[in-house]
Structures are given as C-alpha cells and as structure tokens.
Amino acid sequence: MTQPPHDEPTASSPDQLREQVERTRHQLGETVEELAAKTDVKARAQEKATALKEQAGAKAAELTGQVKVKAAEAAHLVQDKLPDPVKDKATAAAEQVKVKAEQAGQVWQDKAPEPIRTKAQQGAQAARDNRTALIVAGSVAVAAWLLLRRRGRS
C-alpha cells in the first residue's frame, strides 16, 4: 500500500479518511484533465491558428489605416506643391475627360446589351464608392510623373 502524502496529516477517523480520499480524487481528476488538454494537439493547433489569424487581421487593419493616412498626406503634399498653372490645367483636363466620358457613356447606353450594362453600372458604383482612394492614387501618379518629367529636363 502507498504512503499518504507528506503534506497531509494521517486521517484519524473514517470520515476524515473519506474526505481525504475525495480531495485526492478531485485533485487527480483535475491533473488528468490538464494532461489530456496538453496532449490534444489538434485543439491546441486550432487555438494557435485562431490566435494567429486574429493577430494578422489586427495588423492588416493597422497597416491599412497607416497607408490611408500616408496616402492622404502625400495627396495634400502634392496639392500644396503643385503650381497654380498645373492645377488649372489638371482641372481643365478633368472637365474635358468628364464631358468625353459622358458622351461615351451615352453611346454605351445606346449600343451595349443589358447584362453588360448592368455589370458596368456595378463597376461604376464601386468606383464612386471608392472615389477618395482613386483620386489620391491618381494625384500621386500625376505628381510622380510631373516630378520625374521635371528632373529629366534638368
């Protein structure tokens, strides 16, 4: 027979002994549950994968926010540095593009089949919904092109 644990006194009555046995069973049950959880590799791998997925999502959201802020700063910087004649030309060009786009859109509406028109309208709506990002990207591209062009002349 095994000896009782050294940290517990020996039971002096049958009731104390039963209580001691119950306590030991309870502790043993908890220990077995902990060991079973540690050996469940699949569950631990899923927990780790979930945690990593959450971390990646949070990091992606953080980086997206940083990119948007940097893009807005770049757009403002470009807007501030562009000379007025360039801004005026860009505004005039934008107006011409708008007029031509309206004309092309009307021709499109007259001649395109219905399923294709529906898809095109959905794409146009997506562009309108993301207008700020498209304007920022376009502004940055124009500014980069102008700077490269200016450096090429120097």
Side-chain angles (χ1 to χ4, degrees):
M1 196 167 195
T2 60
Q3 294 292 323
H6 296 291
D7 58 348
E8 288 191 32
T10 306
S12 59
S13 72
D15 288 337
Q16 286 179 341
L17 184 60
R18 280 188 201 98
E19 193 177 301
Q20 206 175 30
V21 167
E22 276 303 312
R23 204 171 29 249
T24 304
R25 281 184 184 158
H26 181 71
Q27 290 172 349
L28 183 61
E30 288 178 353
T31 304
V32 168
E33 285 178 14
E34 290 174 7
L35 289 172
K38 287 183 179 180
T39 59
D40 190 358
V41 176
K42 184 176 180 181
R44 291 177 67 200
Q46 286 176 339
E47 289 173 2
K48 185 71 171 177
T50 301
L52 289 174
K53 183 178 177 182
E54 289 173 0
Q55 287 176 347
K59 189 66 173 177
E62 177 186 337
L63 292 175
T64 299
Q66 289 176 355
V67 166
K68 286 182 180 180
V69 167
K70 292 292 183 184
E73 289 174 359
H76 289 301
L77 182 65
V78 167
Q79 191 71 20
D80 292 343
K81 296 212 178 223
L82 283 177
D84 287 336
V86 173
K87 289 179 189 177
D88 294 341
K89 285 183 182 181
T91 303
E95 272 304 313
Q96 288 177 347
V97 167
K98 185 177 178 182
V99 169
K100 294 292 182 183
E102 288 174 0
Q103 291 172 351
Q106 188 59 45
V107 170
W108 171 261
Q109 289 292 331
D110 294 342
K111 296 187 178 191
E114 181 58 34
I116 295 175
R117 280 191 298 205
T118 303
K119 288 290 184 184
Q121 288 171 346
Q122 290 171 350
Q125 184 61 43
R128 277 188 226 105
D129 293 343
N130 297 307
R131 181 178 296 156
T132 303
L134 292 172
I135 290 170
V136 168
S139 298
V140 169
V142 167
W145 177 73
L146 288 172
L147 290 173
L148 290 172
R149 188 172 173 205
R150 185 176 282 174
R151 285 186 183 165
R153 290 183 184 173
S154 301

